[in-house]
Amino acid sequence: MIDYWREPFSREESLDTLNIFVRKWFESRYKELTPPQRYSLKLIKEGYNILITAPTGSGKTLSAFIGILSDLMNLSLNGKLEEKVYCIYVSPLRALNNDIHRNLSVPLEQIYDDISIDLRRITVGIRTGDTPQKDRQRMLAHPPNILITTPETLAIMINSEKFSRHLNGVKYVIIDELHELANNKRGVHLSLSIERLSNMIGHDFIRIGMGATLSPLDNAARFLAGYNGEKERDCYIVDATWDKRMDFIAVCPVPDIINERDSIIENSIYKLIDSIIKKNKTTLVFTNTRSGTERVVYNLSKRFKYSDDSIAAHHGSLSREMRLGVEDLLKKGKLRAAVSSTSLELGIDIGTIDNVVQIGSPKSVARVIQRIGRSGHSFNDIARGEVVVTNRDDLVECSVMLDAAMKRHMDTFTTPKNALDVLAQHIVGMSQNRKWNVDEAYDMIRNVYAYHELPKRDFISLLEYLSGMYVGLESRRVYAKIWYDTRENTFGRRGRLTKLIYYLNLGTIPDEVAIDVVTSANKWIGSIQEEFLSKLKPGDIFVLGGKPYRFEYSRVMKAYVSDAQGQIPTIPPWYSEQLPLTYELALEIGQFRERMAIAAGHAREKDIGTLRLLNKSRLKPNDEAREILDQMPLDENTKNSIFNYFVEQLLYTGYVPNDRFIIVERTADEEQERNLLIFHALYGRRINDALSRIFAIRIGDIYETDVAVNITDNGFVLVTELDVKIGRDDISQIISELGSTDARELLRENIRRTELMRRKFRHNAARSFMILRNYKGRKISVRKQQISSQYLLKAVEEISSEFPVLKETYREIFDDVMDLPRAEMIIRKLVNGEIKYKTIETVVPSPFSHNMITFGEADIVMMKDRRKHLRELHRQVLQQMRKLA
């Protein structure tokens, strides 16, 4: 049963659960209990599984550990503390593991300093991929009572004959940063390891999950606790997500973001950030990309003479030593500001942060809460932050995001279901431990939330693949990893080498390298990340080295391009870095658009704004708009700019799109060389990825033409040659026919030969041990892996469309990369009329389409070329409006 524990225990009830020495230490250092502690100390003491969700600095880590330390201290006092593991703490971050080790070791020293009698001491140890061999050997002989580890290392330990015997007494398993694991394959991998551990030691344990921003909490609890057969394991949810006070605001750096000169906008942004830094002792600045992080540090240092000792960058492309150095300076309070993309978002101990600045939209309510929540170190402090908006769509998006945070609306996470590649890895691991009955193994796997609905046929298919029943694969050097006896209904270990393969190829994070970008004449231009390549389609235009290039095709680890001088980029260089807008936030923005359209529409009807807008004067919000905007955490510049944006859209087209009303805009590019079919579909990039492909395929088939696609969070643009005339009736016909179209099958055929398919298949083949990343200690290059996977992709397509690795690749693309289920839902609603649509024709693209058209030129903070283009589009809109006035 999943349930919420709604009433906190009293201070005395909570502290009475603690050992006398642990309580003395706690009371000497903490005057009060934080909300998570008032709930969880007693619940953990009574043996319940518990999910604790609370912001950074709320004491949730201590609320999990203090009761465990108390329990172990009681064992020590009674002479029953043994040299074995009682508690396993799992975190996705090695740096966080080091913090936890330090934050446990110091209290233990202080507790023992107050005890005069000689006791066996509670021990704490870290085991990760970085742990030196000598420390691993010492841990084999003397296992710690509290073991701090990562998901990957836990999977290795439960398969280690020597170390696994030390896990028989595990009583507690803690999963930290649950929100970073529950929505990806790394978390699925961990769930299987924990279930296998419970099965291996023959008893269950108390599961404690901790996270900052989780929704829906019921599913997070199911992810943590899993099932016992068909019944959910009991788990109490402690929800203190919103108990920390927050003070935030969306800030527009200039009164007129569309007409102001570039130099003034840029200067205003940096002056604003500088003023915030100077008001505070330590400021954390978030961008959404690594390039943005570097640019902000460079510009602040150059403009305001910040030294290297006072400001620093922190992101995943920097060396571990550099990142640790920045974290240490923050902890010591020596940095005035640190600028990060995502790497400081999680709960790494970085000391006291006074204020957070977010540049541009982080694309989700959960993320903005997580980031701003890094400020205000103690629970009673107020978390303070500013979100600096950089374009007109950002104005709306960030305003609605902060309003949703005020109203306690949260985005939802989704756990990958029935991931066959991860399961293949664990089946091989299980076979190393013992001989398994197939039904027993299947029942155990279904106890994991992510596999509770696993079809038996898929499980059998994996056993057939892993046992080498597909004979044709042996000629491709894919050999059996297990044996599977269909008569006895059992499977088990096969060959000594398989154990080595398992250890050396374990994990879910794929190998990725830089891809060379070359011309057809093989002239090297530069390099791009493989993840970026996987997003490219033939015809996409991107910028490299300051010049635009058209992607043509790829061969293994090379991307071939042609010169696209003078053409507008369709994909920004950070496209693979920035996370997409969440569906829930998209719906919130849609509702806001609907309300604002009514308010701005009344302004239009009264004709108070047309002439002043045409003369580039800014309008002040009317009373109806003011009533909406004044309830939101926005500065005056933001309120005024939003109102003007809506009035312009209505004056020009008469319509404002929202989540229940799609505008299909027929127009042309500035050179009048290509047709643009702009779908104002406010659903986020993942859904629009699927929708855009479906419409592009149908239009391409009907008109026998190539269709280029540009995808954004607010919609998508289909580009065709000028002689391809797509009429209003044609669009209605296409939408009508989609009602009887199998969208999944249509897309399956479309992506078969794409870079996305090739790269994702390699990732899944590697996770399934179909290709190896490491063989007998020798690392296999990504280039060789990719060559092998391309041959294997063709082979498995010939074997069966249901081959497990192939099936998982399509599932991952449709469900994790795209959001095809929701795209299919939107198509159904379009067909049955629940979602309305209107086809309009414009001479110049409408204001709400400008950011979509210039999306490929976007680069946070310094985007002069894009702003110049946006101003030109805006000028052309005003020119057209003058003709109509």
Side-chain angles (χ1 to χ4, degrees):
M1 179 189 68
I2 307 296
D3 200 3
Y4 288 77
W5 196 273
R6 302 190 184 277
E7 291 297 323
F9 297 100
S10 69
R11 173 184 169 86
E12 279 307 307
E13 280 182 295
S14 297
L15 293 179
D16 279 348
T17 65
L18 300 180
N19 167 278
I20 184 172
F21 296 111
V22 174
R23 176 171 180 167
K24 180 182 176 184
W25 172 84
F26 184 88
E27 289 186 302
S28 69
R29 283 159 179 81
Y30 301 98
K31 293 180 180 178
E32 59 179 311
L33 295 171
T34 64
Q37 292 162 1
R38 290 184 63 190
Y39 283 97
S40 58
L41 293 186
K42 191 170 177 63
L43 289 174
I44 293 171
K45 175 70 174 178
E46 293 179 358
Y48 292 111
N49 296 322
I50 179 172
L51 172 65
I52 307 167
T53 173
T56 302
S58 60
K60 61 179 178 289
T61 304
L62 187 60
S63 70
F65 271 116
I66 197 70
I68 295 170
L69 291 179
S70 177
D71 187 19
L72 297 182
M73 184 61 73
N74 285 333
L75 289 176
S76 180
L77 287 168
N78 293 325
K80 294 181 180 180
L81 185 67
E82 301 177 40
E83 204 168 46
K84 64 181 181 182
V85 178
Y86 290 91
C87 172
I88 298 174
Y89 167 92
V90 186
S91 161
L93 293 177
R94 293 175 185 177
L96 189 54
N97 285 342
N98 291 324
D99 283 345
I100 295 296
H101 184 265
R102 185 168 49 251
N103 293 339
L104 279 177
S105 298
V106 172
L108 280 171
E109 286 296 325
Q110 293 168 345
I111 290 168
Y112 281 110
D113 284 345
D114 288 338
I115 300 175
S116 57
I117 58 175
D118 189 29
L119 295 172
R120 176 188 280 276
R121 295 204 165 203
I122 299 166
T123 55
V124 182
I126 297 181
R127 174 73 186 272
T128 70
D130 292 336
T131 304
Q133 189 61 37
K134 62 177 182 179
D135 292 344
R136 297 183 192 189
Q137 291 300 321
R138 189 183 305 120
M139 205 174 285
L140 269 177
H142 304 287
N145 301 133
I146 299 174
L147 175 62
I148 298 168
T149 190
T150 61
E152 293 76 17
T153 303
L154 178 61
I156 289 172
M157 288 189 294
I158 62 176
N159 260 72
S160 166
E161 293 178 19
K162 293 180 180 178
F163 194 83
S164 59
R165 67 176 184 270
H166 297 311
L167 303 177
N168 288 333
V170 168
K171 188 176 177 182
Y172 307 94
V173 171
I174 302 173
I175 304 176
D176 205 353
E177 304 291 346
L178 195 77
H179 53 283
E180 284 297 312
L181 291 166
N183 65 351
N184 56 53
K185 288 187 176 182
R186 200 174 176 211
V188 172
H189 196 282
L190 173 62
S191 292
L192 280 164
S193 293
I194 290 172
E195 197 60 46
R196 285 177 56 197
L197 173 62
S198 174
N199 181 274
M200 183 179 75
I201 64 180
H203 66 262
D204 211 344
F205 29 70
I206 298 169
R207 303 173 191 226
I208 304 167
M210 298 184 292
T213 47
L214 282 162
S215 179
L217 287 171
D218 295 43
N219 284 348
R222 292 183 185 98
F223 174 87
L224 171 68
Y227 292 77
N228 189 356
E230 295 304 319
K231 182 184 175 185
E232 293 174 350
R233 290 196 182 100
D234 292 344
C235 184
Y236 279 115
I237 298 168
V238 171
D239 183 9
T241 306
W242 307 99
D243 284 17
K244 188 173 183 177
R245 291 176 295 165
M246 288 195 171
D247 182 9
F248 42 63
I249 189 170
V251 181
C252 183
V254 292
D256 187 352
I257 196 79
I258 190 66
N259 289 312
E260 193 57 85
R261 294 201 311 273
D262 297 332
S263 57
I264 292 178
I265 292 174
E266 202 162 296
N267 286 335
S268 298
I269 289 172
Y270 285 114
K271 280 181 182 178
L272 175 61
I273 298 170
D274 174 61
S275 69
I276 293 168
I277 291 171
K278 285 187 166 61
K279 288 176 189 172
N280 297 283
K281 184 180 178 183
T282 307
T283 298
L284 187 55
V285 181
F286 281 106
T287 66
N288 293 322
T289 65
R290 296 170 186 181
S291 60
T293 292
E294 293 290 351
R295 193 168 293 114
V296 170
V297 172
Y298 172 79
N299 274 284
L300 286 173
S301 301
K302 180 183 175 183
R303 292 164 186 261
F304 306 105
K305 309 304 178 188
Y306 285 100
S307 67
D308 292 344
D309 295 331
S310 60
I311 190 169
H314 189 290
H315 57 72
S317 294
L318 296 173
S319 69
R320 182 171 179 268
E321 290 71 23
M322 291 182 72
R323 295 198 307 272
L324 289 174
V326 173
E327 292 162 23
D328 189 54
L329 289 172
L330 281 170
K331 271 181 266 193
K332 292 175 179 176
K334 293 185 177 181
L335 277 182
R336 291 300 304 273
V339 187
S340 174
S341 50
T342 59
S343 51
L344 288 178
E345 190 177 287
L346 299 183
I348 302 169
D349 184 8
I350 52 174
T352 300
I353 302 296
D354 300 308
N355 198 91
V356 170
V357 177
Q358 167 68 48
I359 302 173
S361 172
K363 300 295 178 181
S364 86
V365 178
R367 188 160 290 106
V368 79
I369 291 170
Q370 178 83 359
R371 291 181 176 185
I372 293 175
R374 296 295 275 155
S375 64
H377 191 65
S378 74
F379 188 75
N380 290 323
D381 292 339
I382 298 174
R384 303 183 188 278
E386 294 83 15
V387 178
V388 181
V389 292
T390 57
N391 63 61
R392 298 211 287 183
D393 280 341
D394 254 9
L395 290 171
V396 177
E397 193 170 297
C398 294
S399 300
V400 175
M401 182 187 306
L402 293 181
D403 186 55
M406 284 178 58
K407 294 173 179 173
R408 303 188 173 188
H409 298 174
M410 189 76 79
D411 329 274
T412 63
F413 75 92
T414 304
T415 301
K417 297 290 183 67
N418 304 327
L420 299 179
D421 54 343
V422 177
L423 183 54
Q425 210 169 108
H426 275 276
I427 289 171
V428 174
M430 290 162 62
S431 72
Q432 300 299 305
N433 293 131
R434 63 182 176 89
K435 175 181 172 180
W436 284 83
N437 174 273
V438 169
D439 295 330
E440 180 192 355
Y442 176 65
D443 289 343
M444 184 203 72
I445 289 162
R446 288 186 65 252
N447 285 339
V448 175
Y449 169 67
Y451 293 97
H452 189 62
E453 297 172 358
L454 176 72
K456 183 72 170 285
R457 178 60 240 169
D458 285 353
F459 181 57
I460 298 300
S461 180
L462 275 175
L463 295 177
E464 290 170 348
Y465 148 60
L466 291 168
S467 61
M469 287 189 177
Y470 297 103
V471 180
L473 291 177
E474 285 204 0
S475 63
R476 308 273 182 177
R477 305 181 72 178
V478 178
Y479 303 110
K481 311 295 189 301
I482 66 171
W483 58 259
Y484 170 37
D485 189 326
T486 56
R487 288 174 300 177
E488 289 193 6
N489 204 34
T490 55
F491 68 92
R493 179 173 59 187
R494 180 168 184 165
R496 296 178 182 177
L497 186 59
T498 304
K499 188 171 188 177
L500 189 62
I501 288 172
Y502 177 77
Y503 283 143
L504 294 178
N505 294 274
L506 185 74
T508 60
I509 302 172
D511 291 338
E512 299 239 336
V513 294
I515 302 292
D516 287 333
V517 178
V518 297
T519 65
S520 56
N522 233 26
K523 178 186 175 184
W524 185 78
I525 295 167
S527 61
I528 55 177
Q529 290 301 308
E530 190 179 9
E531 182 67 17
F532 182 67
L533 173 64
S534 73
K535 300 290 192 295
L536 294 179
K537 302 178 294 297
D540 281 339
I541 297 170
F542 64 96
V543 175
L544 184 61
K547 295 181 179 179
Y549 294 95
R550 180 187 294 102
F551 173 65
E552 304 293 349
Y553 62 94
S554 81
R555 290 288 182 272
V556 190
M557 308 311 287
K558 285 185 179 180
Y560 289 86
V561 299
S562 58
D563 184 19
Q565 197 63 39
Q567 297 191 43
I568 298 169
T570 58
I571 291 186
W574 44 257
Y575 185 67
S576 61
E577 278 188 64
Q578 193 177 77
L579 294 169
L581 182 74
T582 63
Y583 177 66
E584 290 76 20
L585 182 53
L587 296 186
E588 297 259 5
I589 296 169
Q591 293 164 19
F592 172 78
R593 280 188 180 185
E594 197 169 2
R595 287 184 292 132
M596 275 300 297
I598 294 170
H602 289 164
R604 181 191 64 159
E605 287 165 10
K606 293 173 183 175
D607 203 27
I608 65 169
T610 309
L611 188 60
R612 286 163 62 192
L613 271 176
L614 295 181
N615 290 308
K616 297 186 180 179
S617 296
R618 297 290 84 192
L619 302 177
K620 297 289 184 183
N622 61 0
D623 291 343
E624 289 174 82
R626 175 68 64 182
E627 187 176 346
I628 297 168
L629 295 169
D630 282 351
Q631 295 177 21
M632 303 170 75
L634 320 175
D635 73 345
E636 282 301 309
N637 285 349
T638 304
K639 293 174 185 177
N640 294 339
S641 297
I642 287 174
F643 181 69
N644 281 270
Y645 191 25
F646 276 79
V647 171
E648 284 179 23
Q649 174 70 17
L650 282 165
L651 283 170
Y652 187 60
T653 69
Y655 303 100
V656 169
N658 59 58
D659 61 297
R660 297 187 300 159
F661 175 54
I662 294 173
I663 290 178
V664 184
E665 183 175 353
R666 298 163 61 225
T667 187
D669 62 8
E670 289 172 88
E671 293 78 21
Q672 298 294 307
E673 292 177 350
R674 297 177 301 172
N675 286 322
L676 304 181
L677 195 60
I678 304 169
F679 284 74
H680 295 260
L682 181 59
Y683 302 114
R685 208 163 69 223
R686 289 177 60 220
I687 293 172
N688 286 338
D689 192 350
L691 289 174
S692 65
R693 289 173 191 263
I694 291 166
F695 277 98
I697 293 165
R698 296 298 300 123
I699 289 170
D701 288 346
I702 292 168
Y703 293 94
E704 298 181 347
T705 186
D706 292 331
V707 180
V709 180
N710 181 13
I711 308 159
T712 74
D713 286 311
N714 290 347
F716 53 91
V717 183
L718 305 183
V719 184
T720 65
E721 295 300 322
L722 204 60
D723 60 353
V724 178
K725 304 297 183 184
I726 305 170
R728 183 179 282 104
D729 292 340
D730 297 326
I731 293 166
S732 297
Q733 184 65 27
I734 291 169
I735 290 173
S736 176
E737 289 174 357
L738 286 177
S740 57
T741 300
D742 186 337
R744 190 167 293 261
E745 192 55 41
L746 189 71
L747 283 179
R748 188 183 177 101
E749 186 61 30
N750 173 255
I751 65 173
R752 280 181 68 243
R753 298 292 177 255
T754 61
E755 284 306 314
L756 181 62
M757 183 67 186
R758 293 188 189 104
R759 305 291 155 176
K760 290 299 180 184
F761 181 80
R762 191 195 83 228
H763 297 168
N764 285 301
R767 281 190 285 259
S768 306
F769 299 154
M770 197 175 194
I771 59 173
L772 302 180
R773 293 180 288 177
N774 195 306
Y775 183 67
K776 295 183 177 179
R778 181 171 58 85
K779 192 165 178 59
I780 309 299
S781 71
V782 175
R783 181 179 181 278
K784 288 185 177 178
Q785 291 180 43
Q786 189 64 38
I787 292 171
S788 297
S789 72
Q790 286 180 203
Y791 284 121
L792 287 170
L793 176 54
K794 292 177 183 176
V796 299
E797 282 181 328
E798 292 172 4
I799 290 171
S800 170
S801 61
E802 292 295 298
F803 187 86
V805 182
L806 184 64
K807 185 174 183 177
E808 172 56 25
T809 304
Y810 281 115
R811 188 214 62 79
E812 182 176 336
I813 291 171
F814 291 155
D815 295 353
D816 301 346
V817 178
M818 303 176 190
D819 188 346
L820 182 54
R822 282 195 174 123
E824 290 175 313
M825 174 194 72
I826 287 161
I827 288 171
R828 286 195 300 272
K829 289 185 176 183
L830 261 174
V831 172
N832 66 28
E834 286 182 69
I835 294 175
K836 308 295 183 185
Y837 69 93
K838 177 77 176 177
T839 302
I840 64 172
E841 191 160 352
T842 56
V843 177
V844 177
S846 66
F848 270 38
S849 71
H850 293 177
N851 277 302
M852 283 194 265
I853 293 169
T854 62
F855 177 68
E857 303 165 62
D859 199 356
I860 281 296
V861 178
M862 188 176 181
M863 49 180 186
K864 292 181 181 178
D865 290 342
R866 189 192 189 202
R867 282 202 289 259
K868 183 179 178 182
H869 192 186
L870 285 168
R871 275 204 312 276
E872 174 58 25
L873 286 167
H874 184 252
R875 185 193 66 78
Q876 291 179 23
V877 165
L878 294 182
Q879 189 177 50
Q880 290 298 317
M881 287 165 63
R882 286 190 188 99
K883 291 178 181 178
L884 298 171

